[in-house]
Every structure is written in C-alpha cells, then in structure tokens.
Amino acid sequence: MSDMTQMYDVVVIGGGAAGLSGALALARARRSVLVIDAGRPRNAPASHVHNYLGREGTPPAELLAVGRDEVTGYGAEIVEGEVTVVERLPEGAGFRVVRGDGTAVTARRLLVTTGLVDELPPIPGLAERWGHEVLHCPYCHGWEVRDSAIGIVASSPMAVHQALLWRQWSDDITLFLHQGPEPGEEEYEQLAARGIAIVDGEVAGVEVSGGRLTGVRLAGGRVVARDAVVVQPRFTARSGVLESLGLRPAPLEMGGHTLGAYIEADPTGATDVPGVWVAGNVASLMEQVIGSAAAGLKAGSAINGDLVTEDTRRAVEARDAPSDAELWDNRYRESHRIWSGKPNSVLVRETEELKPGRALDLGCGEGADAVWLARQGWQVTATDISRVALARAAEHAAEAEVSEQIDWQFHDLGATFPEGAYDLVSAQFLHSMGDLPRERILRRAARAVAPGGVLLIVGHAGFPPWDHHHAQMQLPTTDEVLASLELPEGEWEVLLSAEHERVQNDPDGNPVTRTDNALKVRRR
C-alpha cells in the first residue's frame, strides 16, 4: 500500500521500550498504530538490561525482539527508517510524517520516543568501551563491577556525588579531578572519610589490553590501574522532530551544572503541541528501561483516551450531518449542469484504439464519459453515489439514444461495488468531499479488470484556489497510486504513467492551466 495516504490513529516515532510499550497499549485498544524505528537504541552497547522486573539480565536486543513480536501480534506495524519531516496538517487533520526514503503517512496523534544521545567527555578510548567498562549509572551497572577498582573522571560539579554513590558498590574508588572543579573542604572530608583516593591532573586516555579496559592514563604519562571508569555524559534529547513542531528542549540542571536537555511534558507525556506526546529519555533524561516502558504505557493510555473523546465528538456531529450521497445530491441540485458534458480528454485519447467490450465507469457523474463510451460501441456499467446525477445521466443517454447500452447503478463504492469483470475500468477524478477510501476502491477496481483488460485512473495533481470542495484533499502521484494498487508482479503492464496539463476556465471565465496525472495499466 502507498504510504502517501495511509492514515493511522497513532504514529510512534522511536522503537525502544517507551515506544513499543505505548504501541502495545494502543494496539490492544484496537487503534491503528505504526512504529517507525531508526534502529539506534541507546543501550545497544550494553550486554544486559537490569532492574526490569521479570526481565533482569535480558540482552537489550532480545528484549527488543520480544517487544516487537508482542506489538505486531496485536496488529500494529513496525518499519525501520529515520523520520526527517513532521508537518501539522491544517484544520486539526493530524500530522504528516515523512521518512528519509520519501515515504509518508498521516497520523491523528504522535508519540515521540526518540530517546537521547550520550555525549561523552572528549577523552580517547572512552567511546570504544562505552557500555562495557566505561559507565555512568551505578544502578544500571554497579552490581556487575562490584568490588572492582573503579575510577571516577570528574568533568562537572557532580563528580564528588558520583564518587560517593559508587562507593556503595566498591571500596576501591579513585576520583580523577581531570577538568572538574576543585572539591570544597567539606567534600574533601567526605571523600577521605569514605576512603576515596584523589588523583590530580588531566586524564589523557584509557588503557585497554585483551579487549578490556585496564587503566587510566594521565597527561604526564602515569597510568593508574582501573577495572572500570565512570564518566558524566551530557544527555541530549533527540528532539529534532519535535523542534520542527515548535517544541524546544529545556535544560536539566543539578548542582548548578547542566546535565542535558529534554522535552517538557505533563505527567501523561502530553506536550504543549496538541496531539503530540513524548515518553522515555526524550522527556526524562535519567529514566531507565523499566521506567521508559511505564511512561510509554501511560502515554499510550492517555492518547487512546484523547482519541475516544474526539471519536465521540465526531459521532455526535455525524448524527445530524448529511451522508456522502446527500452531499453530492445537494451539490448536483445547485445547478442544471455541474460538468461540461464533454467526455474526459484522457479517456478519449487512451481508449480510442481499444476494442469495445464491457466497460465500468466509476463515479460517472452526469454521464458524459459513459455516453461517449456507449457511442463507441462499449456496453457500459456506470456508477455514482448521487441518485440526482444518475437520473440526469440517464436523461443524457436517452437524448443520445444509447440508453440500452448503459446500466446505471447506485453505489457508495466504499461499501458496495459492481459485480463482474470488465475490459475497461475507468476512474476519472475519483475524489470526494467526504471520507472516500480511494485506495481500497482502486484496488477493487483492479480486481474487476478482465484478462487483457485496461484500468485507467486519472486524477488531479493539484487543486485551484477556488475549489473549496477539495482544497484539503491529499493528491497522490502516479507512482504512489501504482504502489497502492498492490498489483501482483508479472501480471500487469504499465502503459502510461505521467502528468499532463490542460486548460480550464476559472469561475470568472478566464482560462487557467491545470495539472493532472494519468495511470494506465493492462492485465496480461
């Protein structure tokens, strides 16, 4: 299916614990959910996940695979890719989400769980051992390096706090002052009382032997043997997608030091942008995996509640709203003739050399195409959602003396479809003022084409400013229409796929140039 016009209740941007947990809650609530995962989990360097009740010690990749299976088991979809653009659609229509390969979907709500980036101090060797012997969180990794020789590299006022905290897991703690501030008198006393050694001078790198970290190298060349090194990264939320919607990261400060930046949200994850929720490290820099999963669940539940409120409001409004059939009937009643009465030029051009047989005209309107086809010798089934238009079309057929060659049928094509197989199926400007499931209808149209028959689809590539009936409608390209048809490989031949220009008069009678597109395929 073409992603261009696919609408989901919720698109989750980010496929870690927070995103999958939110997607699971939403899928179980029978929402249509798409998870877009860039494939950059923050905990990828780590060997195991800890403090996750029931999953203690699980490798991150295994936990991710289990979570994906659970989410897709309830009908949610997961795709890999980087989201490059998010746009708010007009009039509360949701959001357009575009991936790096150009594919796009629309969503009523967004859950962003893009996590954060750990920006390590610029010390050679740290990045290569990050998540192994280079650590930052004692609750995540303290048990694994218990009773080891641990070095704390100071780069912020939090270094003394870190040293005292890690002392809980080992009595062999060394604080390397590096570029951090000089501890105060009281802090020196605390460090001494806990038996924490202090080494002055800058750290130049780490020593590695046999694939493991073995020491800390000072600028003067001295090496202090250590089994693990603790650093204080700067935690920076991956917030580019959110910033494009007007959300700016807020600094997280502790002890007068900025630890990083995050996106502010209420306790459910709702941001200041209506329809957008966040969960996990993008909103809470200190959150561990189990907390991120809980935040995703909370956000998913809140999103579903918000959608229930909207669905209920729409249902109340729909009780008194006219149906699509009534909308079109009313429009046709506006004047004696809505359309020009001439057949569509692309239909004429692309079918003139076809051998007449059985034709299906979808959305026939006042019947100009059906009448023209009948005059060429086709036996036509013509459908429309407006009984007013069908009655008018039947009158035109009678005037042209082709009534016996045309079977006029009322169909709301989203609900019912003409029976039979056809040598020509024509869908000319099959757009609607209402909620028309166009892709599903066109796939059904393709199935109605007989072997050797042709499917011809013509649509607008853009609408003029005066066309208020269609101004907010999405307009796929021919490539996107072709992809949405889901034609079996090898069974169809593309005869035409192109844009073309035509001249049309505006409401004041002035000629203007319009751009349309046409797709013509033949079943082999």
Side-chain angles (χ1 to χ4, degrees), residues 248 478 506:
R248 296 289 182 265
T478 53
D506 67 15

Side-chain angles (χ1 to χ4, degrees), residues 346-367:
V346 176
L347 174 74
V348 173
R349 185 187 72 212
E350 297 299 326
T351 62
E352 276 186 318
E353 301 201 7
L354 294 180
K355 180 181 178 181
R358 296 190 66 201
L360 175 60
D361 183 8
L362 299 174
C364 65
E366 294 165 321

Side-chain angles (χ1 to χ4, degrees), residues 317-338:
E317 293 173 351
R319 292 181 65 186
D320 300 321
S323 66
D324 281 0
E326 291 170 327
L327 285 171
W328 280 106
D329 281 346
N330 291 337
R331 187 176 181 199
Y332 278 107
R333 291 189 183 105
E334 290 175 1
S335 64
H336 177 68
R337 184 187 289 276
I338 295 293

Side-chain angles (χ1 to χ4, degrees), residues 391-407:
R392 192 173 296 174
E395 292 177 2
H396 296 159
E399 293 170 0
E401 299 181 349
V402 291
S403 296
E404 293 185 0
Q405 292 173 250
I406 305 176
D407 177 18

Side-chain angles (χ1 to χ4, degrees), residues 26-220:
L26 288 158
R28 283 176 52 82
R30 309 187 73 177
R31 294 294 178 186
S32 58
V33 181
L34 174 67
V35 179
I36 302 176
D37 185 2
R40 297 197 308 268
R42 181 192 179 199
N43 61 0
S47 300
H48 302 91
V49 170
H50 298 292
N51 301 312
Y52 200 130
L53 189 62
R55 291 287 179 179
E56 172 63 29
T58 302
E62 180 181 323
L63 184 65
L64 182 65
V66 170
R68 285 183 161 210
D69 287 344
E70 291 174 348
V71 168
T72 55
Y74 285 100
E77 300 174 45
I78 300 176
V79 297
E80 296 201 2
E82 184 87 24
V83 173
T84 56
V85 178
V86 176
E87 301 170 333
R88 176 180 288 280
L89 297 176
E91 299 182 5
F95 304 88
R96 183 171 180 265
V97 182
V98 184
R99 305 208 304 270
D101 61 2
T103 57
V105 296
T106 54
R108 297 172 64 189
R109 301 291 185 273
L110 294 180
L111 172 56
V112 180
T113 62
T114 43
L116 60 79
V117 175
D118 295 294
E119 298 178 4
L120 303 181
I123 297 175
L126 290 186
E128 290 78 6
R129 304 309 303 162
W130 177 242
H132 300 285
E133 302 91 30
V134 176
L135 314 167
H136 83 282
C137 172
Y139 298 104
C140 302
H141 304 287
W143 177 266
E144 284 62 47
V145 295
R146 65 193 183 280
D147 300 326
S148 298
I150 301 173
I152 313 295
V153 178
S155 58
S156 78
M158 298 299 297
V160 172
H161 170 74
Q162 280 183 298
L164 295 172
L165 188 60
W166 278 87
R167 177 62 178 80
Q168 177 64 26
W169 282 266
S170 175
D171 59 6
D172 187 357
I173 303 292
T174 296
L175 173 61
F176 295 88
L177 293 183
H178 186 50
Q179 296 178 352
E182 179 82 12
E185 184 176 336
E186 182 180 355
E187 289 177 320
Y188 270 121
E189 185 177 356
Q190 292 172 342
L191 294 168
R194 293 293 281 162
I196 297 173
I198 300 173
V199 175
D200 207 350
E202 287 198 17
V203 173
V206 295
E207 295 289 307
V208 177
S209 178
R212 290 190 58 85
L213 185 145
T214 59
V216 173
R217 186 176 69 257
L218 300 175

Side-chain angles (χ1 to χ4, degrees), residues 477-500:
T477 65
T478 53
D479 287 343
E480 290 162 344
V481 172
L482 180 61
S484 75
L485 293 176
E486 299 179 352
L487 302 177
E489 188 174 353
E491 292 186 15
W492 292 80
E493 177 186 6
V494 177
L495 303 177
L496 173 68
S497 178
E499 286 192 350
H500 58 274

Side-chain angles (χ1 to χ4, degrees), residues 7 314 318 322-324 327-328 385 412-415 431-438 440-441 473:
M7 166 68 84
R314 288 181 175 180
S323 66
D324 281 0
L327 285 171
W328 280 106
I385 196 172
D412 178 347
L413 293 173
H431 306 297
S432 175
M433 296 179 290
D435 296 325
L436 184 75
R438 188 171 184 266
R440 177 157 55 84
I441 293 170
M473 193 177 300

